Amino acid sequence: GGGGGGGRGRAAMQASGSDDASSAGGGSSVVRSSDPSTPRTDRYGFYADSTRAGMRVSESLLRKRKAKEAERQGKWVHMLRHWDAFADTPKLKQRLRKGVPDAVRGQVWSRLAGVAELRAAREAAYASEHSVDLAGRGLYSHLCEMLQDRRDLPDEDVFGTIERDIDRTFPQHEMFRQDSVGQPALRRVLHSYSILDPEVGYCQGMGFITGLFLIYVDEETSFWLLVAALQRESAPLRGLYLPGMAGAQQCLAVSRTLLHEHLPRLHRHFEEQGLHPSMYASQWFLTLFTVNYPFDLVVRVWDVFWAEGWKVVYRVALALFKMHQRELLGMEFEETMNFFRNLPEQVDGTEVMDVAWTIKLRTRQVEDAVRLFESEGLA
């Protein structure tokens, strides 16, 4: 296997037919398969007994959310047809904050990331720089062919690290169990990116982000979403994964400053306990919650991140602190660490996002916190 197009992404397949999971509301629900031998999955493809399920919500609340999402879907289909009229408008921002219907999420992310434009520009630049004719096949197919022929590959360390992490990426998801379509696609996308960007190569965390994309779009589009996420001008993730991980240090420092400004009592308590954000929040920033939080939260964060950048990630972090401040204030170090380990299983994504939007966080505050980090000479 070379080129793109391996599988259209789970949500896209659901949108075009069979089960109704694509229009289910946020929160944890279970899709019943018609084949009794197939384990049941939630709407995102995780097995029903998975630890990724998040907090169970009542059937009546799920029905209400499902109806609201189905109603929004028509508006989104209209927006996608007339994208240029809606791009960069307050209406788009408002609708992104309410959540993109699952059935069109892959298309919306591709538009927000500018995949078509990015691909055209990068392919032209690559063809010119490397004197390669990409006509009729595209850069992704070319990189996959290089992988297949094992020519001009990055060092073996990168190769081996990716291989070790494949089985660790969403093992509780139907698409990424062993011998499934997801694993070979994940392998090809990650190896291809490591050839394209040898300075980054591969870093743990990139596999989960790529896996998320593969659930929503085809393999080739997933590759370009990964390129966009890491290399776009606004809020690129690349700094998180470069040697030294300066981007991750910055995110943790900014989150600490914002906690001090928004929830000073909790900040003081954490400082007294010797709790630094690196001890509990690294994965929040390295993968935008994708590693172990329920997808009803993860996808909502990504809906907004494409358009608004880091601010939504800090908002969600503050929302999690705010919602659990009372309990956390009564906990010692070990108890707090244990709380954060188990927190993903107690999260209802819709509720967290509702709280996040009540937090008055201005772009200026985030910028000031970044400047503070830089002035302290830690950059």
Side-chain angles (χ1 to χ4, degrees), residues 10-156:
R10 182 178 191 273
M13 288 188 275
Q14 286 177 347
S16 62
S18 59
D19 76 54
D20 69 352
S22 62
S23 58
S28 182
S29 64
V30 174
V31 176
R32 280 157 184 75
S33 167
S34 53
D35 177 356
S37 67
T38 308
R40 295 187 305 170
T41 63
D42 73 2
R43 63 178 302 212
Y44 300 106
F46 288 97
Y47 295 119
D49 58 358
S50 150
T51 53
R52 308 280 312 207
M55 197 171 80
R56 300 273 164 187
V57 298
S58 70
E59 286 298 320
S60 62
L61 184 56
L62 271 175
R63 275 197 300 274
K64 193 174 164 187
R65 289 178 183 175
K66 183 175 174 177
K68 192 171 273 189
E69 185 166 351
E71 178 195 320
R72 285 186 184 140
Q73 195 167 310
K75 293 176 182 176
W76 275 99
V77 168
H78 175 75
M79 276 207 304
L80 281 164
R81 286 199 188 116
H82 306 279
W83 186 258
D84 291 344
F86 286 97
D88 301 319
T89 61
K91 175 66 75 180
L92 177 63
K93 180 178 177 178
Q94 177 196 8
R95 285 183 179 169
L96 286 168
R97 287 184 169 198
K98 288 179 180 175
V100 178
D102 222 32
V104 294
R105 191 165 256 131
Q107 294 176 62
V108 171
W109 287 2
S110 299
R111 288 295 186 95
L112 292 169
V115 163
E117 300 82 359
L118 173 71
R119 177 181 170 173
R122 293 301 297 272
E123 288 188 338
Y126 186 95
S128 166
E129 188 183 335
H130 296 272
S131 303
V132 177
D133 180 13
L134 297 174
R137 56 184 179 143
L139 178 55
Y140 183 62
S141 292
H142 172 70
L143 294 171
C144 286
E145 283 167 23
M146 287 172 68
L147 277 171
Q148 214 167 9
D149 302 342
R150 297 189 72 81
R151 68 177 193 267
D152 299 325
L153 294 183
D155 63 62
E156 287 298 320

Side-chain angles (χ1 to χ4, degrees), residues 60 139 146 220 239 257 261 268 287 296 321 352 366 368:
S60 62
L139 178 55
M146 287 172 68
E220 186 166 15
T257 301
E261 290 172 0
R268 190 165 58 249
T287 66
D296 66 341
F321 293 137
V352 174
V366 177
D368 286 348

Side-chain angles (χ1 to χ4, degrees), residues 183-246:
Q183 285 199 344
L186 180 63
R187 177 179 287 115
R188 286 189 292 268
V189 172
L190 292 173
H191 283 313
S192 295
Y193 186 85
S194 73
I195 298 173
L196 186 70
D197 185 0
E199 191 183 3
V200 165
Y202 167 77
C203 180
Q204 272 187 327
M206 288 166 62
F208 286 93
I209 290 175
T210 305
L212 166 69
F213 297 159
L214 283 165
I215 291 168
Y216 282 96
V217 296
D218 65 66
E219 183 180 330
E220 186 166 15
T221 307
S222 295
F223 169 76
W224 287 110
L225 280 178
L226 183 64
V227 174
L230 267 70
Q231 300 185 16
R232 69 197 183 128
E233 274 181 47
S234 102
L237 299 182
R238 196 168 178 270
L240 298 177
Y241 303 126
L242 282 167
M245 300 171 90

Side-chain angles (χ1 to χ4, degrees), residues 259 263-271 321 325 328-329:
L259 179 63
L263 298 166
R265 273 185 70 202
L266 187 60
H267 174 263
R268 190 165 58 249
H269 177 68
F270 281 177
E271 296 291 308
F321 293 137
Q325 179 173 223
L328 286 164
L329 283 169

Side-chain angles (χ1 to χ4, degrees), residues 306-346:
W306 286 117
E308 296 188 37
W310 280 109
K311 205 158 74 163
V312 67
V313 187
Y314 295 125
R315 271 189 202 278
V316 168
L318 288 169
L320 290 170
F321 293 137
K322 187 177 179 180
M323 293 166 78
H324 299 284
Q325 179 173 223
R326 191 176 288 125
E327 302 138 81
L328 286 164
L329 283 169
M331 291 180 184
E332 305 271 310
F333 182 94
E334 286 299 331
E335 204 180 350
T336 307
M337 291 300 292
N338 207 35
F339 173 85
F340 280 119
R341 271 192 292 275
N342 296 320
L343 181 58
E345 293 169 43
Q346 303 161 41

